[in-house]
Amino acid sequence: MTTVPVDASCAAPDQSAPLPASVDLEKETVITGIVTAADGSAVGGAYVRLLDATGEFAAEVVTSPAGQFRFFAAPGTWTLRALSRHGNGDTTVTAVRGVTETGVQVG
Amino acid sequence: MSRDTALVSADWAEKNLGASGVVFVEVDEDTNAYDGGHLPGAIKLDWKTDLQDPVRRDFVNKEQFEALLSARGIGNDDTVVLYGGNNNWFAAYAYWYFKLYGHGDVKLLDGGRKKWELDARPLVKDLPNREQTTYSAQEPDTAIRAFRDEVVKAIGTQNLVDVRSPDEYAGRLLAPAHLPQEQAQRGGHIPTAVSVPWSKAANEDGTFKTDDELRDIYAAAGLEDGKDTIAYCRIGERSSHTWFVLKELLGHSNVKNYDGSWTEYGSLVGVPVALGDEPGKA
């Protein structure tokens, strides 16, 4: 069994980092993507909130300078809501085990 | 305590940047945020390296806390205004900590870093230079800190509030969804604990909801007046946020934060665990 070397805290790992080699995609459900503005440019420093199927908050991360975000969720339907100085936006995604990619546009 | 004494707005904070006797303190687990830009004049505290004992699982003791605050230039008479990322989780944790060690005037910045950034208020990279002080802490106030044995005794008798996300409460996830999920401990919650995710208490910009909204949320969840309350999460920082709401904003009299939280309880041998969305029986 692989183990994931995260420390016992709830702070967001660096969203711009590639997935750690030790993350087991047979087990993890990763939702990842980029926040963009209306003109298509990436929005760094946006706050991306992961909401569950009932709309309840599950997690929040800040996008990397390249606009990237990443969550470790579970299979199912989720809403991604992004807040930024360029405006807000949201999108719904159905995640499966492994990596699910989706973008969020704000503005 | 009340909103007027425990909380300051971003407007108040911006007007009081640099004011004599007011110290802004950013508290984060990842201090990269501070290094990339912080409130002008703010110092930083690292949730782990500054506030946790380097060896045992516990936080720094009275002497270590005194040495830390003295070195960072915080005096006993200073008004300490705490803020941070993660919707102020770690700032609320530090607030609880300052209260535990008896600091006189400590406040939380409503909305923390997030509102400040979304409002496009000033951030600087300059590091402040504060003169060393001689800080004197009180003995830790265990009236606001719960330990595992009293948590087990509280099952079925006190208000237990699990402030993690619904999926963590039910045992479907073991950690918040921005972290990898593999963990040592079992999933689930403490039997009879009600689920009130910390996020219910906050607006999406990180500010706290109104007192009336907050009262309704905890009443609807089944928190009983007249009973003592223990809040917990996974490692005790999200539950500090809820502890702050119940004790400091709503003025409940006996509220404790269980900082051992699920990473301790979920690893204990022989204690009861409830699975699923219902509180379960004692």
Side-chain angles (χ1 to χ4, degrees):
Chain A
M1 185 188 288
T2 52
T3 56
V4 180
V6 289
D7 59 38
S9 82
C10 290
D14 181 359
Q15 300 301 308
S16 64
L19 273 177
S22 54
V23 168
D24 184 351
L25 291 175
E26 297 287 318
K27 292 181 177 172
E28 297 283 353
T29 300
V30 178
I31 301 173
T32 185
I34 293 176
V35 175
T36 52
D39 65 2
S41 60
V43 179
Y47 285 81
V48 184
R49 298 163 70 80
L50 181 71
L51 311 176
D52 71 15
T54 69
E56 189 59 62
F57 175 95
E60 180 180 281
V61 295
V62 181
T63 56
S64 71
Q68 295 159 306
F69 61 86
R70 185 177 74 212
F71 293 104
F72 298 88
T77 302
W78 301 86
T79 296
L80 295 158
R81 174 156 176 80
L83 313 178
S84 83
R85 292 186 201 172
H86 305 276
N88 305 333
D90 48 59
T91 189
T92 302
V93 61
T94 301
V96 294
R97 216 167 284 290
V99 176
T100 300
E101 288 191 355
T102 185
V104 185
Q105 189 180 314
V106 295
Chain B
M1 295 302 294
S2 70
R3 185 171 292 256
D4 295 339
T5 51
L7 203 58
V8 299
S9 68
D11 282 339
W12 183 94
E14 194 167 350
K15 288 192 188 91
N16 283 276
L17 292 171
S20 162
V22 179
V23 187
F24 289 88
V25 183
E26 176 159 338
V27 190
D28 272 312
E29 207 266 343
D30 173 9
T31 53
N32 287 336
Y34 175 94
D35 299 337
H38 48 265
L39 269 63
I43 61 169
K44 71 172 169 183
L45 287 180
D46 185 309
W47 174 81
K48 178 174 268 180
T49 59
D50 289 329
L51 297 179
Q52 303 292 315
D53 186 279
V55 180
R56 300 178 305 136
R57 181 172 176 199
D58 205 341
F59 42 66
V60 290
N61 64 27
K62 177 172 176 283
E63 289 71 29
Q64 290 167 311
F65 189 71
E66 288 174 334
L68 173 70
L69 267 55
S70 298
R72 301 294 165 88
I74 296 175
N76 282 84
D77 295 332
D78 283 332
T79 295
V80 173
V81 180
L82 300 160
Y83 75 96
N86 290 83
N87 291 281
N88 268 340
W89 291 349
F90 293 95
Y93 180 87
Y95 180 104
W96 174 70
Y97 220 95
F98 273 78
K99 283 289 180 187
L100 200 94
Y101 281 121
H103 189 80
D105 192 9
V106 55
K107 299 171 189 299
L108 210 52
L109 170 58
D110 202 14
R113 260 197 92 90
K114 179 161 61 173
K115 180 168 173 53
W116 193 270
E117 288 182 9
L118 293 174
D119 288 352
R121 295 176 192 267
L123 293 167
V124 300
K125 291 187 179 177
D126 313 339
L127 297 181
N129 189 11
R130 299 189 62 84
E131 266 184 47
Q132 186 154 346
T133 63
T134 306
Y135 191 88
S136 174
Q138 309 291 312
E139 290 300 326
D141 177 9
T142 52
I144 60 173
R145 186 184 193 194
F147 294 91
R148 60 180 179 272
D149 291 347
E150 63 189 300
V151 172
V152 174
K153 284 197 190 94
I155 293 171
T157 61
Q158 293 187 24
N159 293 318
L160 284 166
V161 187
D162 186 315
V163 315
R164 297 172 298 162
S165 61
D167 282 334
E168 292 174 84
Y169 176 83
R172 292 185 289 266
L173 291 181
L174 285 165
H178 60 261
L179 294 174
Q181 293 295 315
E182 197 162 335
Q183 304 286 335
Q185 78 277 5
R186 301 303 176 98
H189 58 267
I190 302 173
T192 74
V194 295
S195 169
V196 189
W198 71 273
S199 52
K200 296 259 191 213
N203 300 306
E204 68 177 11
D205 66 358
T207 56
F208 290 99
K209 290 186 176 163
T210 66
D211 288 354
D212 284 344
E213 289 171 321
L214 294 171
R215 268 189 285 272
D216 289 348
I217 287 164
Y218 294 98
L223 243 68
E224 294 181 48
D225 288 344
K227 280 191 177 179
D228 297 345
T229 300
I230 296 173
Y232 74 93
C233 60
R234 191 173 77 104
I235 56 169
E237 88 299 23
R238 284 177 287 178
S239 49
S240 298
H241 187 277
T242 296
W243 173 86
F244 178 86
V245 170
L246 294 173
K247 184 82 163 60
E248 305 295 279
L249 296 184
L250 297 182
H252 290 201
S253 54
N254 194 355
V255 187
K256 293 186 177 189
N257 180 29
Y258 172 37
D259 58 298
S261 272
W262 194 255
T263 52
E264 175 174 83
Y265 191 95
S267 297
L268 291 175
V269 174
V271 295
V273 169
L275 285 174
D277 297 307
E278 298 302 321
K281 292 191 165 52

